[in-house]
Amino acid sequence: MIDPAALREQIEASWRETVLPGLRDFIRIPNLSPAFDPEWADNGLMEQAVEQVADWCRQRSIEGLSLEVLRLEGRTPLLWMEIEGESDHCVLFYGHLDKQPPGEGWSAGKGPYEPVEEEGRLYGRGSVDDGYAVFTALAAAEAVQRQGGALPRCLFLIECSEESSSPDLEAYLRFLEGRLGKPDWVICLDSLMGDYQRLWCTTSLRGGVTGDLSVSLLKQDCHSGLGSGVAASSFRVARMLLDRIEDSSSGNVLLPELHVDIPSLRVEEASQTAQLLGEALLRAIPLRPGVLPVSADATELMLNNTWRAQLSITGQRGMPPLERAGNMLRKETALKLSMRLPPTCDAVTAGKVLKRTLESDPPYGARVIFTITNSGQGWQAPPLEAKLERALQEASQRFFGEPAAFLGVGGGIPVINMLAERFPEAQMLVTGALGPDSNAHGPDESLHLEAARRLTCCLAWLLDRSR
């Protein structure tokens, strides 16, 4: 049995001497995901990032480690590693190296590509989403061996297209099929922490349908003094159509096909998480002073965010900026609709229902087109086997001092469904270090260093207990 105190001391030294320097070097590389950098193959930034991380991995003192950078034609590269291990048990780690765009609004003295350590956080694009993952996973495996523990067979699948919805990963899964085998545990290090006081495990992810709603009644813009009251406003018609799918007074989605019966286990889980986090639930949302949430019940807020359909309008076309808006009846209003779906709601069916509801019997005979641009299925974790749940609780208690906790997540991680379908018999452990104020995708993205070190200890403990 590995000594927990010695393991923590080993991992803290590893973070100080090797992990942090490697992660800082990774942050400095502006390797955007292909959706944000169509020229990624020519500018070489993705290759630079993969090789930098691969070089760091090669320097680890891990017996039985093999490493390859795979490059399929027309695909982003993939970092593949394998540790032979001392048992037949197999653990697959997943992470990604591609990054979101730099964005604006970084605080003074901070920026996306110059790592800054301040008040226990490491700032920079890719620090928490998802650069830490490969460093954390490999540091955990190295620590187990150095402390005299025995590793299972370990696989590391580190891709470079996750922020573009992982279009390249399926091709690599097919390419590696003979080597992947049937992992017993799949550990995805790209999810959330409700707080930094315990180990968190994600139990569900919402699906979603995104589409463009276009409403047009005129061949061209018309002076509002001439046309208003004669022709309907395209904006008003768009509002009428939105009223078909959402009650604007409550935010409730009106389409029965977009609702599911929430499992009692998830309701209880939401209640427990709400009690654990309390007011921290609201502090994670940048509400203006005096603005109230949609409910005073924290459990209802959790369920709204994780198990209920919710509509957001995320973009528009056809409306000029305020400073250039004239007295015109505009020919078109187009809106980007983002409908978050419950984890077990069928996303394909939901998309068809949305399209039919919005396009049928258009008011005033308007031309109404709803074009689905993206659709993703949600996910719900299968029950944890006793061995894994026991190891999770031991790890959280030993290295965080609190029991492990479980939460549903309101967003989606497309790769989770891909891995779950590929390995239907595997235990799926979706966890990570994206906690409060991490601000992934936004300005001042940062990694909470103490939580990341504790997470590394937990991963090492799980590996030692997996045999």
Side-chain angles (χ1 to χ4, degrees):
M1 180 177 178
I2 290 179
D3 177 63
L7 178 64
R8 173 151 189 171
E9 184 178 346
Q10 164 73 51
I11 285 175
E12 287 183 345
S14 177
W15 265 86
R16 183 172 58 253
E17 297 165 9
T18 64
V19 174
L20 269 175
L23 191 50
R24 289 191 188 102
D25 288 343
F26 170 74
I27 288 171
R28 293 187 176 99
I29 304 171
N31 58 307
L32 302 187
S33 196
F36 312 109
D37 182 11
E39 306 302 321
W40 68 267
D42 293 328
N43 61 38
L45 294 171
M46 199 70 76
E47 284 287 342
Q48 183 182 343
V50 170
E51 285 299 333
Q52 181 262 323
V53 173
D55 285 344
W56 182 90
C57 295
R58 291 185 186 103
Q59 295 170 30
R60 309 282 58 82
S61 300
I62 300 178
E63 183 179 348
L65 173 66
S66 61
L67 179 152
E68 294 179 70
V69 177
L70 303 177
R71 299 176 177 86
L72 296 181
E73 182 68 27
R75 305 285 185 181
T76 51
L78 180 135
L79 177 58
W80 164 258
M81 292 178 286
E82 180 174 355
I83 302 173
E84 295 174 0
E86 300 180 41
S87 73
D88 293 333
H89 195 91
C90 180
V91 178
L92 170 65
F93 286 96
Y94 168 85
H96 69 89
L97 298 178
D98 54 315
K99 300 175 184 177
Q100 284 277 327
E104 298 179 352
W106 291 73
S107 298
K110 300 182 180 69
Y113 305 125
E114 186 51 48
V116 172
E117 188 174 342
E118 183 178 292
E119 296 183 351
R121 288 181 175 271
L122 179 65
Y123 290 84
R125 180 63 81 230
S127 59
V128 75
D129 188 19
D130 187 39
Y132 78 95
V134 61
F135 296 94
T136 299
L138 212 59
E142 184 178 29
V144 171
Q145 283 193 345
R146 287 195 176 186
Q147 290 299 312
L151 290 173
R153 180 174 180 239
C154 295
L155 308 177
F156 302 82
L157 197 68
I158 312 298
E159 67 152 322
C160 292
S161 66
E162 192 276 341
E163 300 292 1
S164 305
S165 298
S166 299
D168 297 337
L169 184 59
E170 183 61 40
Y172 281 108
L173 290 173
R174 290 194 300 268
F175 179 80
L176 290 165
E177 190 165 9
R179 286 190 266 178
L180 283 166
K182 295 183 178 181
D184 298 284
W185 296 355
V186 175
I187 301 180
C188 173
L189 294 168
D190 193 25
S191 196
L192 305 183
M193 284 183 156
D195 59 24
Y196 296 119
Q197 277 72 58
R198 69 203 84 236
L199 179 64
W200 287 87
C201 307
T202 298
T203 57
S204 64
L205 298 160
R206 282 194 295 186
V209 174
T210 303
D212 299 336
L213 173 65
S214 172
V215 179
S216 179
L217 292 89
L218 304 175
K219 294 184 290 185
Q220 61 186 25
D221 291 351
C222 173
H223 194 296
S224 62
L226 177 66
S228 62
V230 178
S233 158
S234 61
F235 187 83
R236 180 164 69 87
V237 173
R239 288 165 53 198
M240 295 169 68
L241 296 173
L242 294 178
D243 284 342
R244 296 178 176 183
I245 62 176
E246 180 196 46
D247 180 346
S248 61
S249 64
S250 66
N252 293 334
V253 172
L254 301 174
L255 306 177
E257 297 88 345
L258 274 60
H259 292 269
V260 302
D261 292 330
I262 306 175
S264 58
L265 172 64
R266 301 310 176 204
V267 175
E268 178 61 26
E269 180 184 281
S271 176
Q272 293 173 355
T273 302
Q275 292 178 30
L276 277 176
L277 298 182
E279 294 183 358
L281 281 171
L282 294 182
R283 288 200 297 271
I285 309 299
L287 295 174
R288 288 186 176 277
V291 174
L292 300 175
V294 299
S295 173
D297 187 323
T299 299
E300 287 301 301
L301 294 179
M302 287 291 302
L303 292 172
N304 284 346
N305 184 247
T306 59
W307 275 91
R308 292 180 180 136
Q310 301 287 335
L311 175 66
S312 299
I313 310 300
T314 61
Q316 65 82 28
R317 183 182 67 234
M319 286 185 274
L322 294 177
E323 59 272 15
R324 296 213 312 268
N327 291 320
M328 303 299 291
L329 197 63
R330 294 175 296 99
K331 66 177 182 179
E332 179 197 36
T333 294
L335 303 173
K336 175 74 74 175
L337 275 55
S338 174
M339 181 68 79
R340 295 286 183 178
L341 301 173
T344 56
C345 177
D346 184 84
V348 174
T349 299
K352 292 177 179 177
V353 170
L354 280 168
K355 185 174 179 65
R356 181 175 68 244
T357 303
L358 291 167
E359 291 185 347
S360 64
D361 191 21
Y364 305 103
R367 188 187 70 178
V368 175
I369 301 172
F370 181 64
T371 303
I372 296 174
T373 56
N374 192 33
S375 177
Q377 185 63 37
W379 171 79
Q380 180 181 201
L384 289 178
E385 63 181 18
K387 177 181 178 180
L388 177 54
E389 184 163 12
R390 183 169 57 251
L392 284 171
Q393 294 295 350
E394 289 176 356
S396 188
Q397 287 280 12
R398 288 182 181 277
F399 300 109
F400 282 94
E402 296 287 346
F406 302 85
L407 79 164
V409 173
I413 308 176
V415 70
I416 300 302
N417 273 322
M418 196 181 303
L419 295 173
E421 291 171 5
R422 174 68 60 165
F423 309 114
E425 299 177 5
Q427 289 278 287
M428 298 289 295
L429 174 57
V430 182
T431 185
L434 287 84
D437 301 319
S438 289
N439 214 25
H441 296 200
D444 294 351
E445 176 184 342
S446 65
L447 175 68
H448 191 287
L449 294 175
E450 179 60 22
R453 288 190 289 266
R454 291 174 187 259
L455 175 61
T456 310
C457 293
C458 289
L459 294 177
W461 190 264
L462 292 177
L463 287 175
D464 189 56
R465 289 291 180 275
S466 68
R467 295 170 287 125

